[in-house]
Amino acid sequence: MLTRRQKFAACRAMAHLHLRGQLMYRGDFLLRMLGLLIQVALLALVWRAIYPEGEAVSLETQIAYVTYAAVQNWAFTPPGLAPSAIPQRVREGSVVFDLARPLGFPAQMLSAQAGVTAALLPFALLALPFAILVGGAQVPASAAAALASVVSLVPALLNALLLAVLVSMVCFWTLEMTGIFMIHRVVAQFFAGALVPLWLMPHWLAGLAHVLPFQTITYTPVALYLGRIEGTGPVLGALAVQLGWTVALWLLLRWVWARAHHRVVVQGG
């Protein structure tokens, strides 16, 4: 039985291992960073062309939102179609080694996801100035808005990691997951507000987005930064929703894993 310190050390080592593994393919990162910049430029071009004058939210704020949201979503979203490495490890059979380790499988996979994200962050910071040049930027609405946005990035990242591992657990019930992962990526990006901010959605659709966990990952931090969520009550409420989803997703992950590990089927290996 591992102590808490040993578990933390094991998780840190797992994250560092996957971080180094990701950095072996720097050329791929640079190409995907170029794809991010193209996405930002096209989004800015479209919004400038179609956004009507006289809207409650200015065009500059709208373009700044899509710029920041695109970069943040890129940093928090793992490369490839599968949300995590779990499906590949099941197919290769290497999952048997994961299950034999003293550290729990969910903790291993969350640490691995954290390592992947840690490898992406420097490239996201490198891409941000160029994204601002081709898109747009705004300073935070206030010092309090900047602080709230930074604080909200912590549960946003945790929720992104938890959702990636949770969705990948589907592979323990079915070995063919391409369709499921495609649907997840589209739904997650849309309801996270990565493409269209929630304030432009119809009320019923925005209401649905607000009760799903995806908006806590992208929309909330950017909306806080731009002052679209302001006032002590609404800001604390938004942060509470983020933390509430962190706890809920962690409990759901534990519940799913308690059932998934009885259904382990290794294809190959």
Side-chain angles (χ1 to χ4, degrees), residues 39 92 105 114 119 122 150 157 160 187 252:
Q39 175 188 342
E92 293 175 347
F105 183 75
V150 171
L157 175 57
V187 169
L252 182 59

Side-chain angles (χ1 to χ4, degrees), residues 41-269:
L42 291 176
L43 284 172
L45 182 65
V46 169
W47 283 112
R48 288 191 177 100
I50 68 172
Y51 201 72
E53 296 182 3
E55 286 291 316
V57 180
S58 68
L59 176 60
E60 291 75 17
T61 298
Q62 176 61 39
I63 294 177
Y65 174 90
V66 297
T67 300
Y68 294 141
V71 174
Q72 183 185 314
N73 187 70
W74 184 85
F76 286 5
T77 301
L81 186 61
S84 78
I86 296 175
Q88 181 181 355
R89 299 187 73 79
V90 171
R91 283 188 177 274
E92 293 175 347
S94 54
V95 69
V96 298
F97 302 109
D98 301 325
L99 299 178
R101 295 188 178 109
L103 185 66
F105 183 75
Q108 291 181 56
M109 295 301 103
L110 286 171
S111 301
Q113 287 296 106
V116 172
T117 301
L120 281 168
L121 287 178
F123 291 91
L125 293 175
L126 178 63
L128 184 59
F130 298 100
I132 289 172
L133 286 176
V134 299
Q138 279 192 357
V139 297
S142 64
L147 177 61
S149 178
V150 171
V151 171
S152 73
L153 287 174
V154 177
L157 175 57
L158 292 174
N159 292 348
L161 300 178
L162 286 164
L163 274 170
V165 175
L166 186 58
V167 172
S168 296
M169 289 288 185
V170 176
C171 70
F172 288 104
W173 280 270
T174 173
L175 293 175
E176 182 49 55
M177 299 146 295
T178 303
I180 294 173
F181 290 157
M182 289 180 66
I183 293 172
H184 165 259
R185 182 170 287 271
V186 171
V187 169
Q189 282 194 335
F190 181 78
F191 283 109
L195 302 175
V196 179
L198 271 58
W199 64 68
L200 288 182
M201 295 183 182
H203 290 304
W204 67 270
L205 191 57
L208 176 60
H210 277 295
V211 300
L212 295 174
F214 308 110
Q215 55 91 17
T216 67
I217 297 171
T218 303
Y219 173 78
T220 299
V222 181
L224 286 169
Y225 178 91
L226 295 174
R228 296 301 301 170
I229 303 174
E230 58 182 351
T232 303
V235 168
L236 292 179
L239 295 175
V241 169
Q242 283 187 299
L243 292 172
W245 270 115
T246 302
V247 174
L249 290 171
W250 171 245
L251 293 176
L252 182 59
L253 177 60
R254 288 173 62 92
W255 180 82
V256 170
W257 174 241
R259 285 147 184 80
H261 79 275
H262 295 297
R263 303 183 60 90
V264 175
V265 176
V266 177
Q267 179 180 358

